[in-house]
Amino acid sequence: MTVNDDSFTNWKNREEIAESMIPIIGKLHRERDVTVLLHSRSLVNKSVVSILKTHRFARQIAGEELSVTETLPFLQALTTLDLGPSQIDIAMLAETYRSDDRGLSVEEFTAEAVAGATGDDKIERREPRDVVLYGFGRIGRLVARLLIEKAGSGNGLRLRAVVVRQGGEQDIVKRASLLRRDSIHGQFQGTITVDEANSKIIANGNEIKVIYANDPSEVDYTAYGIKDAILIDNTGKWRDREGLSKHLRPGIDKVVLTAPGKGDVPNVVHGVNHDTIKPDEQILSCASCTTNAIVPPLKAMADEYGVLRGHVETVHSFTNDQNLLDNYHNSDRRGRSAPLNMVITETGAASAVAKALPDLQAKITGSSIRVPVPDVSIAILNLQLARETSREEVLDYLRNVSLTSPLMRQIDFTSAPDAVSNDFIGSRHASIVDAGATKVEGDNAILYLWYDNEFGYSCQVIRVVQHVSGVEYPTYPAPVV
């Protein structure tokens, strides 16, 4: 047998193992609201090759590839337990088991590691929470995809309606088409049909009512059977408390804005300050994509090294508020053609840091350049630290933060020397540390942080909505604080 035959046989064996994992992962998700993760990446609804690639990706952050032969026993052990709603990272189970010297079996170790999700300690399933999307643009449609994907057993978030202004003929058909196919993020994973007579889009069995309105005051959501819903405003038209309060109509309990809030509206970056949301707070903001990209690594660096001052330069993909070709615009430079120019513009991300990290005394400044790519941006975070360090120490620290800390869903890490922006389309993290580009000299550290300013941000929005809805389930093994 040749070496090539050995490699192919090994691949086929791993394919078979990954194939056997799929029904286990699906059953845990549908019947028990358990999301199986691998280094904080969900394995739910993933193909055989996706599962294998996710295992292989571990070498970019952990230094070596993780084998399905290592993780399968832990997945099988989970099926023997009386699990409640939770997220369980089988990569963390495998790696912590490897360093455990007590001689426990895989079954014993797994039962101990996820004890908080079993027996009397487990969380009981909650009733589904209604969600309404106000606006159905770039972020609205990605949030819709995520809500449909996460429907699971039906006991979490449930997208009930989308509110838009009436367009022309076949409005609902065209909106369904935009949900079905996306030039950047690809095709919707599932089936979409349109019920024009009842003004509904049915996506993977989820019936989504399309409500036409020009203003929040025109809608009574209880007329559609919607109650205690969380409304996600994707328009950005209203950004202060007074304007967003217009959404607090019959059937709506809370309003979440997908843009930086103004005035006393709390700006929330999940993973950093989401636990400060008051239970009775009805209006909040998820800040901006750039704020979500820089605040988690800024917090991580401040916690370990202290930060005296910093500057963030964002090289940002163009957005719909720019012009396709030169035309009038209220902004000084954004009127120039987005796909043909680099455009210097402003960013509110630096000033928003103070809202998300009020204890950070460092002055953070910021600026932005829009560039001719349709998605994925990079933030260059230049920090003066409170103590000297080395590049190796910073990279080891940030790698561990991405693997085992409470920020592991926000911060990703890559050591790929050939990575470019397109490689991060579809990333579910708020930002990805580029190890190869990182520069450290004495007390100065420069971090290069990739982020999918559409999809990664949408994932952060969903995490905030899950938190305020009470369906954000704990992760096991527990992250290292």
Side-chain angles (χ1 to χ4, degrees):
M1 182 178 286
T2 67
V3 173
N4 286 340
D5 287 335
D6 285 341
S7 297
F8 185 67
T9 299
N10 178 265
W11 171 260
K12 299 299 287 183
N13 287 339
R14 287 187 292 140
E15 269 192 327
E16 186 177 355
I17 292 171
E19 194 172 70
S20 73
M21 299 171 87
I22 292 174
I24 301 174
I25 294 166
K27 190 172 183 179
L28 286 170
H29 185 58
R30 286 191 308 275
E31 296 184 1
R32 306 191 195 180
D33 283 334
V34 172
T35 301
V36 177
L37 309 174
L38 191 94
H39 283 316
S40 75
R41 290 165 169 78
S42 173
L43 296 183
V44 176
N45 292 329
K46 294 297 186 290
S47 67
V48 168
V49 172
S50 292
I51 291 173
L52 291 174
K53 285 181 69 175
T54 306
H55 278 75
R56 182 166 174 75
F57 185 80
R59 68 194 173 98
Q60 296 288 348
I61 44 181
E64 60 180 319
E65 184 174 343
L66 188 64
S67 172
V68 286
T69 59
E70 288 184 80
T71 56
L72 177 62
F74 295 94
L75 185 59
Q76 292 171 327
L78 293 177
T79 65
T80 68
L81 301 173
D82 180 25
L83 293 168
S86 55
Q87 300 186 106
I88 299 178
D89 197 315
I90 56 175
M92 289 182 66
L93 282 173
E95 290 178 5
T96 51
Y97 179 70
R98 194 184 303 158
S99 60
D100 190 87
D101 59 3
R102 293 176 295 164
L104 299 177
S105 67
V106 166
E107 292 75 16
E108 291 170 333
F109 181 84
T110 302
E112 180 182 278
V114 303
T118 61
D120 294 337
D121 294 327
K122 71 180 181 182
I123 296 172
E124 293 302 321
R125 294 190 188 187
R126 293 175 172 84
E127 289 296 312
R129 186 69 180 268
D130 290 349
V131 178
V132 173
L133 297 179
Y134 199 98
F136 208 46
R138 297 297 303 151
I139 300 302
R141 291 194 298 272
L142 291 178
V143 168
R145 284 188 174 201
L146 287 164
L147 287 167
I148 294 162
E149 171 195 301
K150 293 179 180 298
S153 66
N155 292 300
L157 302 176
R158 183 173 58 173
L159 177 57
R160 296 292 308 281
V162 171
V163 184
V164 293
R165 287 178 293 184
Q166 176 75 57
E169 290 185 13
Q170 291 194 306
D171 179 276
I172 191 171
V173 173
K174 291 178 179 179
R175 294 186 188 279
S177 178
L178 287 169
L179 180 62
R180 183 183 292 113
R181 299 180 182 88
D182 190 283
S183 299
I184 296 169
H185 301 283
Q187 295 209 10
F188 175 80
Q189 297 300 304
T191 63
I192 292 177
T193 56
V194 176
D195 179 355
E196 284 191 84
N198 294 298
S199 191
K200 288 181 179 180
I201 297 173
I202 298 123
N204 291 356
N206 294 266
E207 293 191 0
I208 306 162
K209 179 71 175 179
V210 178
I211 302 169
Y212 294 105
N214 294 313
D215 188 80
S217 63
E218 298 177 11
V219 189
D220 178 350
Y221 294 95
T222 58
Y224 304 98
I226 296 169
K227 62 179 182 179
D228 297 327
I230 295 178
L231 182 144
I232 304 174
D233 183 328
N234 308 288
T235 68
K237 183 176 180 180
W238 305 278
R239 292 171 59 183
D240 59 13
R241 188 173 293 275
E242 181 181 1
L244 292 168
S245 293
K246 295 179 179 181
H247 289 304
L248 293 173
R249 304 281 299 153
I252 302 299
D253 179 54
K254 294 180 186 293
V255 179
V256 175
L257 170 66
T258 62
K262 294 182 177 180
D264 67 342
V265 174
N267 279 255
V268 180
V269 175
H270 190 276
V272 175
N273 67 335
H274 67 278
D275 55 355
T276 65
I277 301 173
K278 297 175 181 177
D280 60 349
E281 179 61 74
Q282 288 189 287
I283 295 173
L284 54 94
S285 156
C286 290
S288 70
C289 56
T290 302
T291 303
N292 277 266
I294 65 172
V295 165
L298 182 56
K299 172 176 169 50
M301 293 297 287
D303 287 348
E304 180 67 16
Y305 301 102
V307 173
L308 301 181
R309 65 178 59 87
H311 176 80
V312 60
E313 186 80 33
T314 75
V315 182
H316 199 290
S317 58
F318 62 78
T319 64
N320 267 331
D321 78 326
Q322 295 174 256
N323 290 333
L324 187 62
L325 293 171
D326 289 5
N327 208 346
Y328 177 81
H329 196 290
N330 288 330
S331 177
D332 291 335
R333 306 190 205 224
R334 292 193 191 189
R336 302 297 297 277
S337 172
L340 297 179
N341 294 288
M342 292 190 293
V343 179
I344 297 174
T345 186
E346 70 283 343
T347 175
S351 58
V353 167
K355 278 193 169 185
L357 286 174
D359 295 335
L360 183 70
Q361 299 301 312
K363 178 176 177 57
I364 306 295
T365 58
S367 52
S368 177
I369 303 172
R370 296 286 179 92
V371 294
V373 294
D375 188 30
V376 180
S377 306
I378 190 166
I380 305 165
L381 191 57
N382 192 333
L383 304 175
Q384 182 185 351
L385 307 177
R387 68 175 174 89
E388 293 192 353
T389 182
S390 67
R391 182 173 181 273
E392 293 72 22
E393 182 187 343
V394 168
L395 289 179
D396 283 344
Y397 170 65
L398 291 175
R399 181 186 290 109
N400 287 329
V401 166
S402 75
L403 289 172
T404 61
S405 83
L407 290 171
M408 63 185 178
R409 286 196 290 170
Q410 282 70 44
I411 300 176
D412 203 2
F413 187 94
T414 181
S415 57
D418 53 354
V420 294
S421 59
N422 265 9
D423 298 327
F424 303 103
I425 291 175
S427 169
R428 295 178 180 241
H429 289 78
S431 60
I432 305 101
V433 176
D434 191 311
T438 300
K439 293 174 173 55
V440 180
E441 186 173 344
D443 64 353
N444 178 240
I446 304 175
L447 308 181
Y448 286 73
L449 307 165
W450 298 102
Y451 58 109
D452 185 329
N453 48 277
E454 293 186 335
F455 197 72
Y457 175 69
S458 297
C459 289
Q460 283 286 89
V461 172
I462 289 293
R463 290 170 189 137
V464 170
V465 174
Q466 287 177 318
H467 178 75
V468 298
S469 303
V471 295
E472 182 184 34
Y473 302 131
T475 298
Y476 300 95
V480 178
V481 178

